[in-house]
Amino acid sequence: MLKSQRSPSLIITWLIVLVIAFSHILLPKWDYEFYTNELGWDVLSYYLYLPLTFIHNDICIKDFTIITTLFEKYHPSETFYQAFQIQNGNYVLNYTLGFALLFSPFFFIGHIWALLSNYPADGFSFPYHFSIATGVMIYILAGIFILRKVLLKYFTEKVTSVVLIFMLLGTNYFHEAVQDYMMPHAMLFTFYALFIYLVIKWHEKPKARTAFFIGLSFGILFLCRQSEVLAAIVILLWGVHNKETFQAKIILVKENYGHVLWMIAAGFIVVIPQMIYWKTVTGSWIFFSMERTEGFNLLAPHIWESLFSFKNSWFIYTPMIIFAWLGMISLYRRKRELFYPIFLFAIVNFYLLSSWLAWWNGGGFGMRYFVESYVLMSIPFGFFIQGLFERWKSVQVLVIILMVGFMALNLWQTWQYAHFVMPHDGKNIAFYKANFFRTKGDPEVWRLLDVQRKHGEFEEFSNPEDYNKKTVGYYNYSDINTSYISPDYQDSTVFFSPPYSCKLTKEYPYSPVVRIPFNALTSREHAWVRVTVKYFPIYDLKENPASIVVHMDYLKRNFYYRGFDLDKYPYKLNEWNTISFDYLTPYPFDFEKEKLSAYLWLRGDKPIYFDDFHVEAFERKW
């Protein structure tokens, strides 16, 4: 025991734990937000399973006042995007319930605390935020100790210590563990570490209990994020590097087929609650609940952007990871039985995540989607360090200086991000250079950003003087029209531009559509779009609502849908009214194939008249 306590790697592990915990406590957000919004934004979709089940007894959200009350009282996000309504009237949460399972022990602690105190026992008062956030930090810190155990299977105390320092403090893992700790990635890092450690143990000495826990940890990874199914590559190929080792792996599985059954059973046990949820809410045991998210396009991966973009990329904002990739060479030479599962996982994982349409991992520092894979990447990184220690002193010194520089860069930019000096979106090389040494945000420097997108329902176009304007669509429903106008829409009884207006009815509720390719709007990464229309309501719009609709179309899916409801704004009946709305395009997935659609929608069942439908695009001057 005394020898273990004096272990250099254990001392380093404790120091890193203290650095992460201390940095977390010093975050500037605690000055104005002390554990009061830890369950907001995306985390709300992970968490809502618990209060809906155990407090409100309404997992289907049949009573939507639960949500309206939550948003009025706690403001977890600007809009309720965390779930969507399906045909039977129920609401389905976007994300699966893996994290709800992990939150659950701490949820019940918070619930008991609330019941025994004056705090509301509603799932969102201070005891819930504090208890669950504390539990998440426990998960994260535990992962550091497990990673140490993994590394010590292959490396000396010295190499293990160096890997722990540079991988945990020198990559964007540090940001995820300290600031965005409620997001999935630092927690998933822990369960990857547990999964890999158990895989190593089972291959060293197969036991049914170890196999069962491998299945549980894999099930948790999969239930938290379905892309983590790639972890199966690791266990299937672990120890395999040629025909003989492949045959030996087959024999090992055959001799321990009961263990494999335990793995499968344990993984299935974890998934059962999700299937019960889907059956209850949707009527089907299997349901694709992420249909409203961006999704993947495997035929068009953003490989270069994911590695080298100043918007947000792996090698620019986490250059330390380059050494892990270089370490693949040493891994191949020294431990080929580990090379194939790790390299194949790393390549497939990179390809998959770079194929995500929102490849820049919006809202994060660096490519946060890769953080959980750092457990496996730590092994080739360790072999890089091991090989480095065998080289000339001068080479060692130069590389260590570079690594220390990369670590300092990571810590500096993490500080900038935490103190709102570096934004979450819109970065480019001009901004990066101008902002590099700043300790405070400078409005003049921030003007260099491509655009600052907000998370609310609508954005405010406040600087049109920085843009060039052009008309991209127009309908007067008479002689000037962007596309063909069916006579079914034309009406001559009421018009602003003679001789026709557009009449929408119950039979024809959608107007002709302005559909413009993204590259016709702009050659840059965003454009502002202004839609102006004249409308003539003859019925109360509260009873006969109508909307202007704008969205982007890509791969037969609608993105960034915005509906501007006319009844929310002042108007006069039986008169021509004019209204304009501004729309900020999302970051383009494909400049040529992505298209903007703008049209009018009668949501009621009585007629309304429109005229002079005008769509303008604003392109940045620089």
Side-chain angles (χ1 to χ4, degrees):
M1 179 65 71
L2 186 60
K3 183 179 178 180
S4 175
Q5 290 176 343
R6 292 176 178 175
S7 160
S9 66
L10 185 60
I11 294 172
I12 291 296
T13 300
W14 275 108
L15 288 174
I16 291 173
V17 164
L18 291 174
V19 167
I20 288 176
F22 190 66
S23 300
H24 173 70
I25 292 170
L26 291 181
L27 280 176
K29 76 171 188 174
W30 302 128
D31 293 339
Y32 61 88
E33 183 184 280
F34 186 74
Y35 292 100
T36 56
N37 198 24
E38 301 307 280
L39 301 174
W41 300 100
D42 285 4
V43 181
L44 181 64
S45 190
Y46 306 139
Y47 170 68
L48 262 178
Y49 292 95
L50 295 171
L52 289 176
T53 301
F54 297 105
I55 296 176
H56 301 290
N57 192 30
D58 188 7
I59 195 63
C60 300
I61 318 183
K62 292 183 180 295
D63 179 9
F64 198 75
T65 59
I66 295 171
I67 302 301
T68 55
T69 301
L70 163 65
F71 273 73
E72 289 172 0
K73 187 173 183 179
Y74 294 105
H75 311 291
S77 60
E78 294 190 22
T79 60
F80 182 55
Y81 66 87
Q82 295 84 356
F84 61 95
Q85 193 171 28
I86 57 176
Q87 194 169 7
N88 65 11
N90 295 336
Y91 282 81
V92 180
L93 294 168
N94 291 338
Y95 301 115
T96 45
L97 56 72
F99 288 104
L101 291 179
L102 300 181
F103 293 161
S104 58
F106 307 100
F107 164 79
F108 290 117
I109 290 172
H111 191 53
I112 293 170
W113 177 2
L115 289 171
L116 297 177
S117 68
N118 294 325
Y119 289 104
D122 58 4
F124 288 90
S125 59
F126 176 77
Y128 299 94
H129 287 266
F130 185 86
S131 298
I132 294 171
T134 302
V136 168
M137 188 54 67
I138 291 172
Y139 284 129
I140 291 171
L141 298 181
I144 300 173
F145 290 95
I146 302 172
L147 176 62
R148 171 182 172 267
K149 286 182 170 290
V150 171
L151 294 173
L152 285 175
K153 291 287 185 180
Y154 305 107
F155 306 113
T156 63
E157 289 278 345
K158 180 181 178 181
V159 172
T160 297
S161 299
V162 172
V163 172
L164 288 170
I165 291 171
F166 286 112
M167 283 298 286
L168 300 181
L169 302 182
T171 68
N172 57 330
Y173 168 86
F174 183 75
H175 171 268
E176 294 300 310
V178 170
Q179 183 171 359
D180 279 358
Y181 68 110
M182 291 297 294
M183 294 298 285
H185 310 288
M187 277 190 288
L188 286 174
F189 178 97
T190 292
F191 284 91
Y192 258 99
L194 178 62
F195 173 73
I196 298 303
Y197 179 70
L198 291 169
V199 168
I200 294 170
K201 281 192 65 176
W202 187 82
H203 282 82
E204 289 177 344
K205 188 175 182 180
K207 290 184 178 180
R209 183 176 66 177
T210 306
F212 181 79
F213 283 109
I214 289 174
L216 281 182
S217 57
F218 178 82
I220 290 171
L221 287 171
F222 176 73
L223 194 56
C224 287
R225 289 176 74 87
Q226 282 64 69
S227 60
E228 310 308 337
V229 71
L230 297 181
I233 293 173
V234 177
I235 191 167
L236 290 174
L237 295 183
W238 198 261
V240 175
H241 66 93
N242 56 25
K243 182 179 178 180
E244 290 74 21
T245 53
F246 177 75
Q247 292 173 340
K249 185 65 173 280
I250 296 297
I251 293 171
L252 178 66
V253 171
K254 287 182 176 179
E255 291 176 347
N256 299 278
Y257 70 91
H259 296 185
V260 176
L261 295 178
W262 275 114
M263 288 184 201
I264 296 172
F268 185 69
I269 287 171
V270 177
V271 177
I272 287 175
Q274 185 68 55
M275 296 176 68
I276 294 173
Y277 167 77
W278 280 333
K279 182 65 175 176
T280 303
V281 176
T282 72
S284 301
W285 291 106
I286 303 295
F287 183 82
F288 183 62
S289 61
M290 296 185 68
E291 65 180 52
R292 299 296 179 92
T293 59
E294 291 87 351
F296 295 95
N297 182 6
L298 297 177
L299 300 179
H302 298 270
I303 293 174
W304 179 265
E305 297 96 327
S306 295
L307 292 176
F308 298 108
S309 171
F310 280 87
K311 179 179 179 64
N312 202 25
S313 64
W314 211 6
F315 287 177
I316 296 296
Y317 291 95
T318 309
M320 188 71 73
I321 205 66
I322 295 172
F323 294 114
W325 281 102
L326 291 175
M328 292 289 184
I329 301 171
S330 296
L331 180 62
Y332 178 80
R333 292 172 177 171
R334 296 167 184 257
K335 205 78 172 175
R336 202 161 295 183
E337 66 270 24
L338 300 186
F339 170 80
Y340 287 100
I342 293 175
F343 182 74
L344 183 60
F345 170 87
I347 287 294
V348 175
N349 187 59
F350 173 76
Y351 187 90
L352 178 68
L353 295 181
S354 66
S355 300
W356 185 252
L357 293 181
W359 60 267
W360 58 94
N361 302 186
F365 169 66
M367 303 297 280
R368 58 189 171 98
Y369 296 171
F370 292 107
V371 164
E372 50 264 41
S373 70
Y374 292 175
V375 174
L376 277 169
M377 297 300 286
S378 294
I379 295 175
F381 188 78
F383 279 98
F384 175 84
I385 298 298
Q386 190 177 78
L388 179 65
F389 286 155
E390 297 169 0
R391 295 185 179 274
W392 296 333
K393 286 289 184 182
S394 57
V395 175
Q396 292 181 33
V397 170
L398 287 174
V399 174
I400 291 296
I401 289 174
L402 186 59
M403 292 171 64
V404 169
F406 284 165
M407 183 170 69
L409 173 68
N410 181 72
L411 296 175
W412 168 243
Q413 292 188 331
T414 300
W415 183 91
Q416 285 185 312
Y417 195 97
H419 289 77
F420 315 108
V421 180
M422 181 182 291
H424 72 276
D425 195 13
K427 299 183 291 292
N428 52 46
I429 189 169
F431 171 82
Y432 186 90
K433 292 189 295 185
N435 195 63
F436 190 84
F437 292 107
R438 296 189 180 275
T439 58
K440 293 182 179 179
D442 185 330
E444 288 302 311
V445 173
W446 278 50
R447 287 191 72 199
L448 298 173
L449 292 168
D450 291 327
V451 71
Q452 276 292 283
R453 290 182 170 86
K454 298 180 180 179
H455 297 286
E457 187 175 0
F458 304 120
E459 296 88 0
E460 180 183 358
F461 186 22
S462 58
N463 57 330
E465 67 277 5
D466 294 336
Y467 291 76
N468 292 316
K469 180 176 67 172
K470 61 182 176 181
T471 295
V472 293
Y474 186 78
Y475 290 104
N476 69 359
Y477 307 103
S478 299
D479 57 342
I480 304 176
N481 298 293
T482 296
S483 62
Y484 169 73
I485 297 293
S486 168
D488 295 321
Y489 290 102
Q490 292 177 314
D491 187 275
S492 60
T493 59
V494 178
F495 52 79
F496 187 85
S497 297
Y500 299 114
S501 67
C502 174
K503 182 180 180 181
L504 296 186
T505 63
K506 183 179 180 180
E507 291 73 26
Y508 296 95
Y510 298 101
S511 74
V513 181
V514 171
R515 187 170 283 114
I516 304 294
F518 191 95
N519 60 4
L521 299 174
T522 179
S523 60
R524 303 181 181 276
E525 62 89 37
H526 80 280
W528 281 96
V529 175
R530 176 166 294 165
V531 180
T532 304
V533 68
K534 297 186 184 299
Y535 63 105
F536 192 98
I538 56 177
Y539 298 97
D540 186 346
L541 289 176
K542 294 291 184 183
E543 300 174 0
N544 192 51
S547 302
I548 300 173
V549 177
V550 184
H551 55 73
M552 302 301 295
D553 303 328
Y554 184 59
L555 297 178
K556 298 181 180 180
R557 299 171 65 188
N558 296 337
F559 291 98
Y560 215 61
Y561 179 100
R562 293 291 185 265
F564 305 101
D565 300 334
L566 300 182
D567 59 281
K568 294 181 179 179
Y569 303 89
Y571 67 93
K572 294 181 179 180
L573 284 174
N574 298 306
E575 290 186 24
W576 283 106
N577 301 265
T578 304
I579 197 163
S580 292
F581 290 106
D582 294 328
Y583 174 90
L584 175 61
T585 60
Y587 191 88
F589 302 136
D590 189 312
F591 278 84
E592 294 182 359
K593 296 180 180 179
E594 191 169 351
K595 295 181 179 180
L596 176 126
S597 293
Y599 53 94
L600 304 163
W601 175 27
L602 171 63
R603 290 153 44 223
D605 56 6
K606 299 174 183 178
I608 185 173
Y609 299 89
F610 292 95
D611 213 339
D612 291 1
F613 185 66
H614 190 193
V615 182
E616 299 171 296
F618 294 78
E619 184 177 34
R620 190 75 170 263
K621 292 178 179 178
W622 63 83

